[in-house]
Amino acid sequence: MEPYRLSATKALHLIQKNELTVEAYARSLLARIESREPTVQAWAYLYPEAVLEQARRLDKVPTEQRGPLHGIAIGVKDVIYTKDMPTEHNSPLYKDSHVPVDAASIAILRAAGALILGKTQTTEFASTTIGPKTINPHSLPPLPVRTPGGSSSGSGAAVADYHVPFALGTQTGGSIIRPGSFNGIYGFKPTWGAVSREGQKVYSLTLDTLGWYARSVEDLRMLAGVLGIKDDDVPRKLKGLKGAKFGLVKGPVWRLAGPGTINALEKAKALLQAHGATVHDVELPEEFSNMPDWHAKIMASDGRTTFLPEYLIDKTRLQTFLANQVENVNGWTHKQELAAFDGVASLRPVIDSIVDGFDALITPSVVDEAPLGNGSTGSAAFNGMWTALHTPVVNIPGFKGENGMPVGVSLVAARYKDEHLLEVAEVVGGVFEKEGGWKSAL
Amino acid sequence: MEPYRLSATKALHLIQKNELTVEAYARSLLARIESREPTVQAWAYLYPEAVLEQARRLDKVPTEQRGPLHGIAIGVKDVIYTKDMPTEHNSPLYKDSHVPVDAASIAILRAAGALILGKTQTTEFASTTIGPKTINPHSLPPLPVRTPGGSSSGSGAAVADYHVPFALGTQTGGSIIRPGSFNGIYGFKPTWGAVSREGQKVYSLTLDTLGWYARSVEDLRMLAGVLGIKDDDVPRKLKGLKGAKFGLVKGPVWRLAGPGTINALEKAKALLQAHGATVHDVELPEEFSNMPDWHAKIMASDGRTTFLPEYLIDKTRLQTFLANQVENVNGWTHKQELAAFDGVASLRPVIDSIVDGFDALITPSVVDEAPLGNGSTGSAAFNGMWTALHTPVVNIPGFKGENGMPVGVSLVAARYKDEHLLEVAEVVGGVFEKEGGWKSAL
C-alpha cells in the first residue's frame, strides 16, 4: 500500500519499526497532494521542500528521543499559528502575514514529533459561510462541484482525499462537524476547554473549540491522547452494541432536516437496534428551543468585540457579515446577550444529566449532503447547540444522500466524557461504515 | 507643569491644540522614567529611541487624520503582544521572544493614535504571586521596600509614579485591582468579554480580563471609549452623592481583612453617608460562600490545559506552581471543575440582580496595604469572586494603612454597566481622594 493511504496508527507503527522513514512517508503524501491539489485545492500554504527538510530532521532524531506522534503528518487550518509558516485567515488584511510562533496545539504536536505539513483552507477568520476555493473531493469534475463544508474546508477535504491522515479544525458553529459529514470522515470536537486554543484566531471565547479530523476513530484517539484529553474515569471498553443505550435527539431545528439526514438518522437507529442496542427518542426540555437564538446572539455579540481591531484598521477589507457584527446592525442589547450567555450556561448541567442516562446521544450532523457549488459552505444549524453546550461531539460517516454524497450523524456525550465518547464512536462507526450504505471511492 | 505630570485628558487637550508636541511629551515621560526607573524598576522593555521615533511619526500625522488618543502614552503589561517590542511573560522560556503582531487591544489603541511606550513588569505569565523586581513607588529606599502588587506590577507602579498616564493590566484573580490599591491609583476591570483579549497570554478563558490603570476616572473613561466599552443605556449623570444608594459587601473572605481594609471600608461608609448617600449592608446568599473554592478550581483546571505546551517544552523552566497545575497535583476531577464552572455561571445573574438594586456595591480591594518586600505580590482573596462573576470593578484610592501606604476600595456594578460604574466612581473617587486620608507624595 502506498504510504499516503495508511492510517496514522499504521504509519506510526511502520516508522517506529524503521520500516518507513518519515521522509519516504512525506514524499508519498506530497506526491498524492501534487496529483490531487490542482482540483481539490485544500491547501492555503504548502512548501514541499520545507516539509522534506522537517522530515529529514525527524529521521535523524535518535529512537529514544522520539515522541508519540513521531513523523505523523498533520494539516493545520489556516487560523492557527505555526512558527514556520504564514497564517492568513483567508483575509486580505492578513495576506502574507507570518507570525513566527506556534499556537498551543501546534507546540504540543511538535513536541510529540508531528510533521506539520502545511496550512489548510478556511473561510475568512473561520467565521463566515463564504467558501474558499476548496472542492469536495467526492464530487470532482466532471461531476458537479460541491462544497467540502466549512469553515474547516481544507482540513476536511485533505483528510478525505488522503493528503494527510490528520488535520486540525476549529468550530464556533458547526465548522468541524459539517465538513466531517460532507467529506465522509470522522470529525471530533472535544469538550470546550479540554485543549488550549491559544494562538488560534478568536471568534467567540464561549464557543470556539479546537478539534481534528481522521479517517478512523483509532486515529482520532491517538491525537486526543497527545493533546491531553483525559476523562475522570478510564472508559469502559465496549465489545459491541449489545445492551448499549442511545438517546435519539432530533432537536430544535429538526424541521430543517433534508432527506439525506432523515434517512441517515432512521437507518442509524435501525442499525443500532439490529446490533442489539436500544434507541430512545429524547424530547429535550422546552428551554432548549431557545438554543438556536442564544447561539446566534452569543456569536454576534462576541464578534462585535472580536473584530473591532480589523474593523478599525480597514473595514472595507472585512467581510460585510463581520463588519455588521461590529456595528451591531441587529441592535441586540447587552441585556439580550447576557440572557443568552446565562441561558446556555444554565442548560449545560441539564444536558449532561440527560446524556448520562445513555451511552451517547445520536443527533444530526448536517441539514443534508453537501450542497452544489463551493460558494457557500452550507448550514451549521444542527451543530451550534452542542458547541454552546460544550459537549464533545463526533461525526460518524457511513450514510449517503440522494446524490450519493456522504452524510454523517453525530454522537454526543456529557462534558469531559471524551474518551468514553471515542470508545462508543469506534463501535458505532464500525457498524455505520460497514452497513450504512456509503463508501468512499477515493 | 512638567508634561509627565499631566493627566491623559489634559495632555490630549494640549496636543490637540498644538500646545504640546508628542515628541516633547514623550521626552518628558522618558526623562521621568530615566530618573525613577533605577529604583522603581517598572519596565520590562523600554527603548527610548524607538519611542521618540514613534512620537515624531505621530507629530507628522495631519490633524484631520489624528485618532482620539493621538500621542497619549501607554505602558503595556508584558503578557500582551506588541508588534514592535518583545513579549517575554517574565518567563525564561520566552526570553527575548518577539512575536511581531499586535494584540487586539494594542491594534485598537494604535489605530486611535496612542504612543505605545514600552512593556511593564509582570509576574510569570501573569499567573503567579512571585514578584518581579518592581518596587512600590510609595515606599522607596530608605523606606522599607514594599511590593506594588501583581501580577500587573509594573503597570501599577508606572502609572502611580508618573511614568505614563495609562497602563494596561490583566486580571485572572486580582491582578488589576490589587496593584491599583497598593499603588494608590484607579484600576478598572471592565465586564468580561467587553474588550477582546486576543494576543494576550491566556491563563483562564473564563477569568482573564483586560483592564487598565489611570490616575483619574476621567482618564479611565477616555480609554474605555476607545476600547469600545458601551452600556445599553447612556448612564445617568450623577451630580453628587445625595440620594445615591450603595450596598456594602464584606463577602466570603472578610475574616482575612486587615486593619487597613477594615478602616478603609468603615471610613468609606461614613464618607458616603456624610455626603448624603445611603449604605446598606448586603449579606450575599449562602451559595456565594463557595466562590473562593470555585474560583480556585476554575483557575487550576484552566491552568492544567493552558500550560501544557510550556510544560512539554521544558517543565524545569516553568514555575512549580504552574507545573503542579499541569500535573493536577490537587487531584481535582473534571466533575469538580464543572461544578465550579456551572456554579459560578448560575450566580452571575444573581449578583447582577442584587447590584441592580444599588448605584454600586462597595467591597474590599485588598487584604491590607502593600506587604513588605517584593518577593510576593500579596493576596487576591477579595478579587477572585468578582473576576469569576464577570462584573466590572473599579479600585478607588484614598485611604491609608497603618504604615501610611495607600489602601483602596472596590466599586462593583452589574455586567455591562461599565459606563455607569465609571460615572459613580468619578463622584465617589472625588470624595475618597479628598477626605479619605491618603494622598500621593509622588
Side-chain angles (χ1 to χ4, degrees):
Chain A
M1 190 190 280
E2 286 292 324
Y4 76 80
R5 291 224 159 250
L6 297 172
S7 70
T9 307
K10 182 68 181 167
L12 183 68
H13 188 65
L14 294 178
I15 292 170
Q16 285 175 338
K17 291 201 300 176
N18 291 314
E19 291 175 15
L20 177 66
T21 65
V22 180
E23 184 178 355
Y25 179 49
R27 284 191 186 278
S28 176
L29 294 166
L30 290 171
R32 170 69 177 179
I33 293 170
E34 198 183 352
S35 73
R36 304 285 296 181
E37 179 63 3
T39 328
V40 178
Q41 302 182 78
W43 297 88
Y45 179 88
L46 185 74
Y47 186 47
E49 260 320 304
V51 171
L52 291 172
E53 209 181 292
Q54 214 189 126
R56 285 189 289 264
R57 268 204 312 275
L58 285 164
D59 278 328
K60 283 183 195 138
V61 173
T63 312
E64 69 281 6
Q65 287 172 30
R66 294 181 174 185
L69 276 182
H70 185 78
I72 299 306
I74 299 186
V76 179
K77 185 176 182 177
D78 199 26
V79 291
I80 300 170
Y81 287 151
T82 41
K83 66 180 176 186
D84 45 2
M85 300 170 193
T87 303
E88 295 188 330
H89 309 287
N90 191 12
S91 157
L93 284 165
Y94 290 85
K95 181 94 183 77
D96 298 323
S97 173
H98 184 172
V99 177
V101 70
D102 278 338
S105 51
I106 302 300
I108 295 170
L109 296 174
R110 225 187 270 274
L115 179 69
I116 311 298
L117 205 82
K119 305 299 277 281
T120 58
Q121 292 283 355
T122 174
T123 71
E124 186 170 330
F125 298 119
S127 62
T128 78
T129 55
I130 300 170
K133 57 187 176 177
T134 314
I135 290 174
N136 192 310
H138 299 296
S139 189
L140 297 182
L143 291 173
V145 163
R146 290 176 185 270
T147 176
S151 60
S152 312
S153 316
S155 287
V159 169
D161 202 38
Y162 293 89
H163 302 187
V164 267
F166 284 134
L168 297 184
T170 66
Q171 177 156 317
T172 304
S175 289
I176 295 168
I177 298 303
R178 178 155 97 268
S181 179
F182 286 180
N183 293 288
I185 56 173
Y186 290 90
F188 179 44
K189 179 191 86 67
T191 301
W192 181 93
V195 181
S196 172
R197 282 153 295 161
E198 182 141 37
Q200 117 193 9
K201 179 70 187 153
V202 173
Y203 183 177
S204 163
L205 293 187
T206 308
L207 301 171
D208 296 346
T209 312
L210 183 89
W212 48 95
Y213 296 105
R215 294 183 302 267
S216 73
V217 176
E218 191 180 23
D219 281 3
L220 283 185
R221 191 186 287 124
M222 185 199 294
L223 220 48
V226 168
L227 288 166
I229 298 283
K230 201 167 168 34
D231 293 5
D232 282 338
D233 304 310
V234 177
R236 184 167 58 89
K237 284 275 165 209
L238 290 185
K239 291 273 182 253
L241 287 170
K242 209 173 171 67
K245 196 175 163 195
F246 293 88
L248 183 75
V249 173
K250 290 179 171 174
V253 292
W254 177 245
R255 68 184 184 284
L256 301 176
T261 282
I262 293 171
N263 167 65
L265 221 59
E266 273 170 15
K267 204 153 183 180
K269 181 176 181 177
L271 285 174
L272 293 172
Q273 289 170 330
H275 284 264
T278 56
V279 182
H280 307 260
D281 290 322
V282 175
E283 201 64 56
L284 296 177
E286 178 54 28
E287 304 94 291
F288 284 85
S289 64
N290 293 306
M291 286 297 304
D293 175 59
W294 285 346
H295 178 271
K297 288 216 170 74
I298 292 172
M299 204 159 79
S301 66
D302 286 351
R304 181 178 174 186
T305 297
T306 299
F307 295 108
L308 179 59
E310 285 84 4
Y311 180 91
L312 292 172
I313 288 167
D314 188 354
K315 68 180 168 192
T316 68
R317 294 196 288 164
L318 190 62
Q319 212 49 260
T320 309
F321 170 71
L322 297 175
N324 284 347
Q325 289 193 351
V326 175
E327 291 174 2
N328 188 23
V329 293
N330 288 317
W332 285 334
T333 62
H334 292 306
K335 192 175 172 180
Q336 289 174 301
E337 295 166 33
L338 291 174
F341 184 84
D342 294 338
V344 169
S346 75
L347 293 185
R348 289 192 192 111
V350 176
I351 195 72
D352 278 355
S353 68
I354 291 171
V355 188
D356 273 340
F358 302 97
D359 285 291
L361 299 181
I362 179 163
T363 194
S365 282
V366 284
V367 169
D368 209 322
E369 59 185 357
L372 285 167
N374 65 346
S376 164
T377 59
S379 163
F382 283 103
N383 315 114
M385 177 167 87
W386 308 107
T387 311
L389 291 170
H390 294 175
T391 56
V393 182
V394 179
N395 175 71
I396 314 274
F399 304 100
K400 71 175 167 198
E402 290 181 318
N403 298 286
M405 293 293 290
V407 174
V409 297
S410 286
L411 288 188
V412 176
R415 290 173 295 171
Y416 287 112
K417 302 276 174 86
D418 297 82
E419 292 186 292
H420 161 77
L421 181 64
L422 291 173
E423 279 295 328
V424 178
E426 187 157 27
V427 178
V428 171
V431 170
F432 290 0
E433 283 200 80
K434 201 168 158 199
E435 303 174 43
W438 178 83
K439 290 229 177 337
S440 172
L442 297 170
Chain B
M1 189 190 281
E2 286 292 325
Y4 76 80
R5 291 224 159 250
L6 298 171
S7 69
T9 307
K10 182 69 183 165
L12 183 67
H13 188 67
L14 294 179
I15 292 170
Q16 284 175 340
K17 291 202 299 176
N18 291 315
E19 290 176 16
L20 177 65
T21 65
V22 180
E23 185 178 355
Y25 180 48
R27 284 190 186 280
S28 176
L29 294 167
L30 290 170
R32 171 68 176 179
I33 293 170
E34 199 183 352
S35 74
R36 303 286 296 181
E37 178 64 2
T39 328
V40 178
Q41 302 182 78
W43 299 87
Y45 179 89
L46 185 75
Y47 186 47
E49 260 320 304
V51 172
L52 291 172
E53 209 182 290
Q54 215 189 126
R56 286 189 289 262
R57 267 203 313 274
L58 285 164
D59 278 328
K60 282 182 196 141
V61 173
T63 313
E64 69 282 6
Q65 288 171 30
R66 293 182 174 185
L69 276 182
H70 185 81
I72 300 305
I74 299 187
V76 179
K77 186 176 180 178
D78 200 25
V79 293
I80 300 170
Y81 287 152
T82 41
K83 65 181 178 187
D84 45 2
M85 299 169 192
T87 304
E88 295 188 329
H89 309 286
N90 191 12
S91 156
L93 284 166
Y94 291 85
K95 181 95 183 74
D96 298 323
S97 173
H98 183 171
V99 177
V101 71
D102 276 340
S105 52
I106 302 301
I108 295 169
L109 296 173
R110 224 187 272 275
L115 179 69
I116 310 298
L117 205 82
K119 307 299 278 278
T120 58
Q121 291 283 355
T122 174
T123 71
E124 185 171 332
F125 298 118
S127 61
T128 77
T129 54
I130 299 170
K133 57 188 175 175
T134 314
I135 290 174
N136 193 309
H138 299 294
S139 189
L140 297 181
L143 292 173
V145 163
R146 290 178 185 269
T147 177
S151 60
S152 312
S153 316
S155 287
V159 170
D161 202 36
Y162 292 88
H163 301 187
V164 266
F166 284 135
L168 298 184
T170 66
Q171 177 155 317
T172 304
S175 288
I176 295 168
I177 299 302
R178 177 156 98 267
S181 179
F182 285 179
N183 293 288
I185 56 174
Y186 290 90
F188 179 44
K189 180 192 84 67
T191 301
W192 181 94
V195 181
S196 171
R197 282 154 293 161
E198 183 141 35
Q200 117 192 8
K201 180 69 187 155
V202 174
Y203 183 177
S204 162
L205 294 187
T206 307
L207 302 170
D208 295 347
T209 313
L210 183 89
W212 48 96
Y213 296 103
R215 293 183 301 267
S216 73
V217 175
E218 191 180 24
D219 281 3
L220 283 185
R221 190 187 286 123
M222 183 199 295
L223 220 48
V226 168
L227 288 166
I229 298 283
K230 199 165 168 38
D231 292 4
D232 282 338
D233 305 310
V234 176
R236 184 166 60 89
K237 285 272 164 209
L238 290 183
K239 292 272 182 254
L241 286 171
K242 209 172 172 68
K245 196 175 162 195
F246 293 87
L248 183 74
V249 174
K250 290 179 170 173
V253 293
W254 178 245
R255 66 184 185 283
L256 302 175
T261 282
I262 292 171
N263 167 65
L265 221 58
E266 274 171 14
K267 204 153 183 180
K269 183 177 180 176
L271 284 173
L272 293 173
Q273 289 170 331
H275 285 263
T278 54
V279 182
H280 307 259
D281 290 322
V282 175
E283 200 65 55
L284 297 177
E286 176 54 28
E287 304 93 292
F288 283 84
S289 64
N290 293 307
M291 286 298 302
D293 175 57
W294 286 345
H295 177 271
K297 289 218 169 73
I298 292 172
M299 203 159 79
S301 66
D302 286 351
R304 181 178 172 185
T305 297
T306 299
F307 295 108
L308 179 59
E310 285 84 4
Y311 181 91
L312 291 171
I313 288 166
D314 188 355
K315 69 179 168 192
T316 67
R317 293 196 288 164
L318 190 63
Q319 210 52 257
T320 309
F321 170 70
L322 298 174
N324 284 347
Q325 290 193 348
V326 175
E327 291 175 2
N328 188 24
V329 293
N330 288 317
W332 285 335
T333 62
H334 292 307
K335 194 175 170 180
Q336 288 174 302
E337 295 166 34
L338 291 174
F341 184 83
D342 295 338
V344 169
S346 74
L347 294 184
R348 289 191 192 112
V350 176
I351 196 72
D352 278 355
S353 68
I354 290 172
V355 188
D356 272 341
F358 303 98
D359 285 290
L361 299 181
I362 180 163
T363 194
S365 283
V366 285
V367 168
D368 209 322
E369 60 184 358
L372 286 167
N374 65 346
S376 163
T377 59
S379 164
F382 283 103
N383 316 115
M385 177 167 87
W386 308 107
T387 310
L389 291 171
H390 294 175
T391 56
V393 183
V394 178
N395 176 70
I396 314 273
F399 305 99
K400 71 175 168 199
E402 290 181 317
N403 298 286
M405 292 294 290
V407 174
V409 297
S410 286
L411 288 188
V412 176
R415 289 174 295 172
Y416 286 113
K417 302 277 174 86
D418 297 82
E419 292 186 290
H420 161 78
L421 181 64
L422 292 173
E423 278 295 329
V424 179
E426 187 158 28
V427 178
V428 171
V431 171
F432 290 1
E433 282 200 80
K434 201 168 159 201
E435 303 174 45
W438 179 83
K439 291 230 175 339
S440 173
L442 296 171

